[in-house]
Amino acid sequence: MALFSAFQTTFLLALLSLKTYQSEVLSEPLSLAPESLEVSIDSARQCLHLQWSVHNLAYHQELKMVFQIEISRIKTSNVIWVENYSTTVKRNQVLRWSWESKLPLECAKHSVRMRGAVDDAQVPELRFWSNWTSWEEVDVQSSLGHDPLFVFPKDKLVEEGSNVTICYVSRSHQNNISCYLEGVRMHGEQLDPNVCVFHLKNVPFIRETGTNIYCKADQGDVIKGIVLFVSKVFEEPKDFSCETRDLKTLNCTWAPGSDAGLLTQLSQSYTLFESLKATKCAPRTLCKHKSWCNWQVSPDSQEMYNFTLTAENYLRKRSVHLLFNLTHRVHPMAPFNVFVKNVSATNATMTWKVHSIGNYSTLLCQIELYGEGKVIQKQNVSVKVNGKHLMKKLEPSTEYAAQVRCANAHHFWKWSEWTRRNFTTAEAAPSEAPDVWRNVKSVQGHCVVTLFWKPLSKLQANGKILFYNVVLENLDRPSTLKLLSIPAPANGTELTLDRCSYQIHVTANNSVGTSPASVIAVSGDPGNKEVEEERVKGTEDGFCLSWKPQPGDVTGYVVEWCERPGDPLCDLQWKNLGPNTTSTVVSSDAFRPGVRYNFRIYGISTERIPYLLEKKTGYSQELVPSDNPQVLMSNLTSYSFTLSWKDYAAESQPGFVRGYSLYLKSKAARCLPGSEKAVLSDDSICCKYKIDNPKQKTFVVENLQPASFYEFFLTPYTSVGEGPQGAFTKVTTPDEYSHILIRIILPMIFSILLIMILCYLKSQWMKEKCYPDIPDPYKSSVLSLIKSKENPRLTIMNVKDCIPDAIEVINKQEGTRKSLTETEPTKPTYLYLLPTEKSHSGPGPCICFENFTYNQAASDSVSCGHVPVTPKAQPSQLGLLTSSENVPKALGKNYVNSLGEIPAGETNLNYVSQLASPMCGDKSSLPTNPPEPALCSEYKTQMAIPMGLASPPSITLLDEGEHDH
């Protein structure tokens, strides 16, 4: 009973205690309110940091609680953020929560309050919120200072494509503020009279130094700005992979992605941790490198790994994951101790060693053999420790490269790196005979043979060729042999042979042995027949040549050509072909456009003697002619002319000349028969004659017009086009009757020239007949008529000895004396002397005669005639002339004086003579009354009268008017 009472008492106490606890718990939501709320600011991150605690919890009591947080802006009634924050709370534990504001905190006042409630399963009752805490204000503007203008946020860092809010704070709402992004004005919303907010969406990356934003007031010079740093998007690591080389260390690698693109790069950190490790805390490694990290493999034989690589910078965190089996990620190390042994001309052995990899010791190794830069053999070999491989079918004296690599034989992941060795096989005797050809010429009764051979290829030579042996076998005397040794690298030699037939053997020799012999024969009688040359057309692939098969036995064919035609060293080339071949394509990199190549096709008889079959010529690519012919014109008539260009060498042109084009210009609008209109490159129109025969070197242009102007130009053409356009040659056709005039004028000119030549030859005779020499007064025959007994030594006649009929006075102009042809003829003035006989009543008997031999200037003078004498003439006027003796007396003094007064060079003398009387005797025998004068064959008397002589006063001077009267 007592025990029951005690148990009942205990139960009641426990129940009372439980009710008391429940009552405490039920009343707890009203008392478990957040206390000691504090708010701080992080301006760099634009965050509000809250911290608080709950004091009414029992000791060691933990409850799950939820806190509701409200944030208002400017006014407490303007709640902009509400969030429930759940956490486990202990007694007096300081709780923290942060909130990042989109609007810079400096732009507006913020207020924060919160309340709490129990959210624990231990308490099944409904949750009740505690009372709100009081509002905690955060006002940053009060601490900004006294500057008139502020712009926020400062030096903010965001990613490309983010949304950013910008604001300015002005101390005076009366100023009009304008804000600009990279020079472009922004439009925002006004929060209050002093604050304006701008929302930037999807901001781009502009430059590595950041984006410039500034604001300025319309009044004053206040400008404030910030730099917004926009980085490129932080990318997650790519190509994340892990592998091991020795099953002891894992090497993980990745590609870090592009940089942030800023001048000052953001710091990046990479963390590697493994989540399958059977430990309470997952192992973690902070990687020291940006693209790789090592992880030590645990010795507990863990095979599966799940790695997470986290990349983080100031703005973002990225993560990638990798799950793999360790034994499937084995990357062996490269083989070592690699050697090539037992190298012969055709075989070699390769050996190597590999690194062991734990229990997975079997590796698959791959061997590659390189020759001339390409793989010629490939082989796979399974290896545990040591590897060995025999390489067969190699070429003698050839350089090779052998390399080996290995991989995990059970789970292939990656090959190891290559290990390479080079080697050269030994030499062997040449395997092929030299390719030999010849050129035969006949010089002064001898046969000069030039031998050519092509160097053996590397595969044929089997080593370095040291010399060539040339053996001459005289077929007419088989026992006669001659050996010539030609050192390499010569590729030919010249032999002078007689008219006998020879067989020539050529072999190549190296350090090991001799090649098979190449045999060619030279006949004493070449007997090459004349072969007509044919044209072939080249293509991009070369020249396609074909020939007729020969009916006899032929051991092969040879095609011969020069790659440098026209050059003394023509670089002779040839091509050997089989007996069943009747066509081939000859190609060469040396073929050039516009060059003519000549090909010779030979057949090889069973005696190894070549004989010519065909000749072919062509161009790999034809071009237009390089120059035009020099054209000569002949046979010019009124209706045609002939053109010729016989010296033009069409073979030297860069193409087959297929004809000529003649262009003719004229003033006529229509073209002549046989021509057609053509337009030249200068748009001029002319007529074109086409000459289709390339061998024609003359052309007659007909149906022309007389006395017309033409221009012509001749150019050749090939299959590609015409030659260069040159200058036109001008020609004018003669008049239709010009040849008749030429037939008349030419004989006339010839006759005149003949007469002039005869006159020149007979000039002396003509001078004597037409222009005799002036008589010498001292030698004159007139002196013989004067019989002076008083002065027997009289040699010249005096004035007193002459009885003049008239005196001619010629007035001389002062100045420069003119020639006969330039002097204007003037009529001379005559002084007439009249007879004194009174009985003479008729006309005067005086007849004057002028001797033109003595005065050339007076050749034009008028002839004097009879002077009429009036019967009424007084005797005093005529008495002076009654006697011939009075004349010399009257004239003598004046005559001499006048001569003395006239300057030298100013006097012309005319000789006037008196005609002899019919008796033609002496003057003393003259009758007193002479009859009418009659012509006499000789001079009676002569006298000289100077020009300009003054008339003596005693002489009657009759003027010209009286004379004419």
Side-chain angles (χ1 to χ4, degrees):
M1 189 69 181
L3 180 62
F4 178 76
S5 298
F7 177 76
Q8 184 178 10
T9 302
T10 303
F11 177 76
L12 292 175
L13 290 174
L15 182 61
L16 179 63
S17 176
L18 178 61
K19 288 183 179 182
T20 302
Y21 174 77
Q22 288 180 349
S23 63
E24 290 179 357
V25 171
L26 291 175
S27 62
E28 192 71 18
L30 300 177
S31 60
L32 293 181
E35 300 177 8
S36 304
L37 176 62
E38 296 180 3
V39 181
S40 61
I41 298 175
D42 185 355
S43 296
R45 293 178 176 268
Q46 293 295 318
C47 291
L48 291 178
H49 298 296
L50 280 66
Q51 66 179 19
W52 69 94
S53 60
V54 178
H55 301 296
N56 296 332
L57 287 177
Y59 289 102
H60 307 293
Q61 184 180 9
E62 290 186 3
L63 289 177
K64 289 184 179 181
M65 294 189 64
V66 58
F67 298 93
Q68 190 176 66
I69 305 170
E70 286 186 352
I71 300 176
S72 63
R73 180 174 292 162
I74 302 176
K75 299 178 180 180
T76 56
S77 60
N78 183 25
V79 176
I80 62 172
W81 190 270
V82 176
E83 181 176 336
N84 294 332
Y85 172 63
S86 299
T87 184
T88 302
V89 181
K90 295 181 181 179
R91 180 181 177 84
N92 295 330
Q93 179 184 0
V94 178
L95 302 176
R96 291 180 175 86
W97 180 80
S98 297
W99 173 73
E100 182 179 359
S101 175
K102 300 298 182 183
L103 178 70
L105 298 177
E106 296 86 352
C107 299
K109 180 179 67 175
H110 292 79
S111 300
V112 180
R113 72 175 181 175
M114 62 189 309
R115 62 181 177 177
V118 176
D119 186 18
D120 199 313
Q122 297 178 13
V123 182
E125 290 83 359
L126 295 178
R127 179 180 58 183
F128 295 95
W129 289 107
S130 69
N131 296 326
W132 290 100
T133 64
S134 61
W135 289 98
E136 294 291 332
E137 292 186 357
V138 180
D139 188 4
V140 186
Q141 292 185 7
S142 60
S143 61
L144 292 179
H146 301 287
D147 290 346
L149 183 64
F150 299 91
V151 181
F152 298 102
K154 295 184 178 296
D155 301 331
K156 186 175 181 62
L157 177 63
V158 296
E159 272 190 341
E160 182 180 13
S162 302
N163 298 329
V164 181
T165 301
I166 307 294
C167 77
Y168 71 80
V169 179
S170 175
R171 292 302 186 185
S172 174
H173 63 272
Q174 296 179 354
N175 290 336
N176 189 10
I177 309 297
S178 300
C179 295
Y180 300 88
L181 170 65
E182 292 291 330
V184 180
R185 185 171 181 176
M186 300 183 297
H187 301 280
E189 59 176 320
Q190 204 79 25
L191 287 184
D192 60 39
N194 296 332
V195 178
C196 185
V197 177
F198 305 92
H199 299 283
L200 306 181
K201 296 183 179 181
N202 194 21
V203 292
F205 173 83
I206 296 179
R207 65 179 70 90
E208 61 183 7
T209 56
T211 303
N212 298 321
I213 300 173
Y214 65 93
C215 298
K216 66 178 181 178
D218 292 346
Q219 297 178 359
D221 55 354
V222 179
I223 298 178
K224 292 292 183 177
I226 61 172
V227 177
L228 180 65
F229 294 97
V230 181
S231 71
K232 293 182 180 180
V233 177
F234 183 55
E235 298 177 349
E236 66 180 18
K238 297 180 177 61
D239 301 328
F240 179 43
S241 177
C242 296
E243 64 184 19
T244 181
R245 312 205 73 169
D246 54 5
L247 295 179
K248 297 179 181 179
T249 303
L250 274 170
N251 178 259
C252 297
T253 59
W254 61 89
S258 60
D259 294 329
L262 296 176
L263 190 62
T264 301
Q265 297 296 333
L266 301 178
S267 61
Q268 301 175 0
S269 62
Y270 294 88
T271 304
L272 184 67
F273 66 93
E274 202 279 317
S275 60
L276 294 182
K277 185 72 174 177
T279 58
K280 184 177 180 180
C281 183
R284 183 185 301 266
T285 298
L286 182 63
C287 300
K288 298 179 180 180
H289 302 279
K290 189 176 180 181
S291 59
W292 62 274
C293 192
N294 288 333
W295 183 278
Q296 297 298 320
V297 176
S298 60
D300 56 0
S301 301
Q302 179 184 354
E303 291 188 358
M304 295 301 298
Y305 287 84
N306 186 9
F307 280 112
T308 299
L309 176 66
T310 301
E312 184 177 4
N313 67 2
Y314 175 81
L315 299 173
R316 189 184 292 271
K317 180 186 292 186
R318 301 279 192 176
S319 298
V320 291
H321 306 276
L322 179 65
L323 177 65
F324 62 92
N325 189 313
L326 178 66
T327 59
H328 297 175
R329 297 294 183 104
V330 177
H331 181 193
M333 289 185 284
F336 63 100
N337 289 346
V338 179
F339 300 100
V340 179
K341 303 177 180 178
N342 303 326
V343 180
S344 65
T346 56
N347 297 325
T349 301
M350 184 177 186
T351 61
W352 68 94
K353 291 185 178 181
V354 296
H355 296 273
S356 61
I357 306 176
N359 297 327
Y360 305 97
S361 58
T362 303
L363 297 178
L364 178 66
C365 295
Q366 186 179 75
I367 301 97
E368 288 184 350
L369 180 65
Y370 280 80
E372 296 182 355
K374 59 183 179 180
V375 178
I376 57 176
Q377 291 184 16
K378 182 182 289 188
Q379 187 69 38
N380 292 335
V381 179
S382 295
V383 177
K384 289 187 177 182
V385 178
N386 298 324
K388 182 178 181 181
H389 177 66
L390 176 63
M391 295 173 285
K392 303 178 181 179
K393 298 181 180 180
L394 306 181
E395 297 292 340
S397 186
T398 304
E399 294 182 356
Y400 291 97
Q403 60 185 11
V404 59
R405 63 181 178 178
C406 300
N408 188 354
H410 299 287
H411 302 285
F412 179 83
W413 167 243
K414 285 183 181 178
W415 289 106
S416 68
E417 293 78 11
W418 289 103
T419 303
R420 189 183 185 99
R421 293 291 180 269
N422 298 328
F423 66 97
T424 302
T425 54
E427 290 188 358
S431 59
E432 298 288 339
D435 188 357
V436 179
W437 188 237
R438 91 291 175 270
N439 186 17
V440 181
K441 295 181 181 179
S442 180
V443 179
Q444 296 180 354
H446 295 279
C447 183
V448 177
V449 179
T450 303
L451 283 180
F452 303 94
W453 56 81
K454 296 178 182 179
L456 294 177
S457 66
K458 199 170 184 180
L459 295 177
Q460 296 170 344
N462 293 336
K464 182 179 179 180
I465 300 299
L466 302 177
F467 58 91
Y468 296 90
N469 283 336
V470 179
V471 178
L472 301 178
E473 180 182 358
N474 192 326
L475 298 180
D476 297 334
R477 296 188 296 273
S479 60
T480 303
L481 296 176
K482 184 178 181 181
L483 174 63
L484 300 175
S485 183
I486 312 243
N491 59 355
T493 186
E494 188 174 280
L495 306 173
T496 302
L497 307 176
D498 53 23
R499 289 296 183 181
C500 297
S501 297
Y502 285 86
Q503 195 173 68
I504 304 173
H505 303 257
V506 181
T507 58
N509 298 264
N510 62 10
S511 61
V512 178
T514 301
S515 71
S518 181
V519 181
I520 193 170
V522 178
S523 176
D525 181 16
N528 286 334
K529 61 181 180 179
E530 291 295 329
V531 178
E532 184 178 356
E533 190 174 63
E534 298 179 5
R535 292 183 178 181
V536 292
K537 185 177 182 180
T539 62
E540 295 180 355
D541 299 328
F543 291 91
C544 184
L545 307 178
S546 61
W547 56 91
K548 298 178 181 179
Q550 297 302 301
D553 293 334
V554 176
T555 60
Y557 298 95
V558 174
V559 179
E560 171 193 279
W561 72 94
C562 280
E563 289 195 344
R564 294 196 300 270
D567 191 337
L569 302 175
C570 77
D571 191 9
L572 183 67
Q573 299 293 323
W574 67 94
K575 186 176 183 180
N576 280 303
L577 301 167
N580 298 324
T581 304
T582 57
S583 64
T584 186
V585 176
V586 178
S587 61
S588 173
D589 294 336
F591 288 157
R592 292 174 291 123
V595 178
R596 179 179 289 193
Y597 296 95
N598 299 317
F599 299 91
R600 304 290 182 267
I601 301 173
Y602 293 87
I604 308 298
S605 65
T606 54
E607 292 82 11
R608 305 296 301 170
I609 299 177
Y611 58 93
L612 182 62
L613 294 178
E614 294 184 15
K615 295 181 181 179
K616 297 181 184 293
T617 183
Y619 296 85
S620 61
Q621 181 182 349
E622 288 192 63
L623 304 178
V624 297
S626 58
D627 55 8
N628 298 318
Q630 297 292 332
V631 183
L632 301 177
M633 185 186 67
S634 60
N635 300 334
L636 177 62
T637 67
S638 301
Y639 300 98
S640 66
F641 58 84
T642 302
L643 303 178
S644 62
W645 55 95
K646 297 183 179 180
D647 296 334
Y648 185 66
E651 293 77 11
S652 62
Q653 297 304 309
F656 292 117
V657 174
R658 300 178 182 272
Y660 301 89
S661 295
L662 175 64
Y663 294 93
L664 184 67
K665 289 182 180 181
S666 66
K667 295 182 179 180
R670 62 183 183 85
C671 291
L672 300 176
S675 65
E676 59 183 8
K677 283 190 177 182
V679 180
L680 300 178
S681 58
D682 58 355
D683 295 333
S684 60
I685 300 176
C686 62
C687 296
K688 177 181 178 181
Y689 294 87
K690 193 170 183 181
I691 304 171
D692 295 330
N693 185 7
K695 296 182 179 180
Q696 180 178 342
K697 297 300 180 68
T698 60
F699 185 78
V700 179
V701 183
E702 298 177 328
N703 301 321
L704 304 179
Q705 295 296 325
S708 298
F709 177 77
Y710 295 92
E711 293 180 274
F712 67 86
F713 166 67
L714 183 75
T715 182
Y717 64 88
T718 63
S719 61
V720 181
E722 295 181 348
Q725 182 174 347
F728 278 75
T729 304
K730 301 177 181 179
V731 60
T732 302
T733 56
D735 188 71
E736 186 176 3
Y737 303 102
S738 59
H739 64 284
I740 300 176
L741 295 176
I742 292 175
R743 293 179 183 177
I744 297 175
I745 293 174
L746 287 179
M748 291 180 64
I749 295 176
F750 178 76
S751 300
I752 293 173
L753 290 176
L754 182 60
I755 293 172
M756 292 176 65
I757 294 173
L758 291 176
C759 290
Y760 176 77
L761 296 176
K762 297 295 183 177
S763 61
Q764 188 64 31
W765 180 81
M766 292 289 292
K767 182 178 179 182
E768 292 176 357
K769 295 300 181 182
C770 299
Y771 303 98
D773 292 337
I774 300 174
D776 189 351
Y778 294 96
K779 299 179 182 180
S780 177
S781 61
V782 177
L783 295 177
S784 63
L785 301 177
I786 304 174
K787 298 179 181 179
S788 176
K789 296 180 181 181
E790 296 178 359
N791 190 5
R793 288 183 291 182
L794 183 65
T795 59
I796 190 170
M797 57 184 174
N798 294 322
V799 175
K800 65 182 180 177
D801 297 331
C802 299
I803 301 174
D805 295 322
I807 296 175
E808 177 187 1
V809 179
I810 300 175
N811 293 324
K812 171 79 172 156
Q813 298 289 336
E814 292 184 1
T816 305
R817 183 181 300 273
K818 297 182 180 180
S819 64
L820 177 61
T821 58
E822 297 175 343
T823 304
E824 181 181 357
T826 60
K827 290 185 180 182
T829 304
Y830 289 92
L831 187 102
Y832 294 95
L833 303 179
L834 304 178
T836 59
E837 282 78 0
K838 297 180 180 179
S839 59
H840 194 278
S841 61
C846 176
I847 298 176
C848 72
F849 176 80
E850 182 181 3
N851 191 343
F852 295 99
T853 305
Y854 295 95
N855 183 14
Q856 296 296 332
S859 60
D860 179 37
S861 303
V862 297
S863 300
C864 66
H866 298 284
V867 179
V869 181
T870 59
K872 296 180 180 180
Q874 296 181 5
S876 61
Q877 293 174 336
L878 304 173
L880 180 62
L881 302 177
T882 55
S883 175
S884 62
E885 294 178 357
N886 294 330
V887 175
K889 291 179 181 180
L891 296 176
K893 187 176 180 179
N894 275 341
Y895 172 75
V896 174
N897 292 338
S898 299
L899 290 175
E901 293 173 2
I902 298 172
E906 297 295 330
T907 303
N908 257 344
L909 295 181
N910 282 351
Y911 293 85
V912 181
S913 65
Q914 176 187 357
L915 287 178
S917 63
M919 300 303 295
C920 293
D922 193 8
K923 69 175 182 177
S924 62
S925 61
L926 286 170
T928 306
N929 299 318
E932 289 203 9
L935 296 175
C936 185
S937 61
E938 61 181 13
Y939 295 111
K940 177 63 178 178
T941 59
Q942 292 180 338
M943 72 177 186
I945 299 176
M947 296 178 60
L949 179 62
S951 302
S954 60
I955 298 175
T956 302
L957 181 63
L958 300 180
D959 59 12
E960 212 173 313
E962 294 177 355
H963 172 262
D964 293 339
H965 191 279

